[in-house]
Amino acid sequence: ADVTRLEIEDNRFEAVVCSSYLQHAPNVKGLLAEAARVLKPGGLFLADICPYAGLNGAFLEDSQAPWYHLIDETLNETSTIPLNRWREAQYRAALQDYFVIDQWRRESNEKAEAHLTPRLQTRLADYSPEELTCGQIIVAATARK
């Protein structure tokens, strides 16, 4: 199904759960708008997001060198897994367009913290240490109605 055009009436659900998908969604804003539309007033939106700037670029695997996707972005061009390159602030702003954020919890990745050397941090200076070591973001939000 196209998650931006569900064949479901407005205000149908008490909750929408988006598990490990926002980082893969080709149209994050469309998905969020549709989730808000199908939620009842005050309905709950729950999501977890594996950020692109994290250790493995939301692939959740340890087979590559740390932050390989940020160091050599051509490696991602051959991937069959769709990934958007949104940063935490972009997700937060898009969510705030449709929801009141009740909880925004960042979970650090201990492996990323261990791999983040001063040399790597310098090489990846476009990203903060917090972005690079974030393993996932857990969001609980209420639909604006």
Side-chain angles (χ1 to χ4, degrees):
D2 180 351
V3 295
T4 64
R5 296 179 185 182
L6 298 173
E7 294 182 16
I8 298 170
E9 65 268 15
D10 293 0
N11 305 317
R12 170 82 170 145
F13 298 106
E14 299 282 339
V16 169
V17 178
C18 188
S19 181
S20 295
Y21 183 69
L22 284 178
Q23 67 270 10
H24 299 289
N27 182 350
V28 175
K29 289 182 180 183
L31 180 152
L32 295 174
E34 192 67 353
R37 182 188 69 77
V38 301
L39 278 170
K40 291 181 179 180
L44 185 61
F45 178 79
L46 299 171
D48 62 337
I49 305 164
C50 296
Y52 183 76
L55 182 64
N56 298 314
F59 285 108
L60 302 176
E61 61 185 57
D62 291 330
S63 64
Q64 302 288 339
W67 296 285
Y68 69 98
H69 60 293
L70 300 178
I71 293 168
D72 183 359
E73 293 192 14
T74 62
L75 293 173
N76 289 326
E77 293 173 7
T78 59
S79 175
T80 59
I81 301 170
L83 281 175
N84 64 58
R85 297 176 183 203
W86 280 31
R87 294 172 89 158
E88 184 174 350
Q90 290 171 283
Y91 285 113
R92 185 182 284 272
L95 279 153
Q96 288 174 327
D97 285 344
Y98 302 99
F99 303 96
V100 174
I101 297 174
D102 301 311
Q103 183 178 27
W104 185 274
R105 190 177 85 218
R106 303 172 83 257
E107 294 183 352
S108 292
N109 179 330
E110 290 179 9
K111 288 181 182 180
E113 291 174 355
H115 285 299
L116 189 58
T117 63
R119 183 173 181 254
L120 266 173
Q121 179 61 58
T122 299
R123 192 167 184 190
L124 300 170
D126 290 343
Y127 300 90
S128 72
E130 292 77 22
E131 286 181 287
L132 295 169
T133 59
C134 184
Q136 74 174 342
I137 302 164
I138 306 294
V139 180
T142 307
R144 294 186 186 275
K145 302 268 181 162

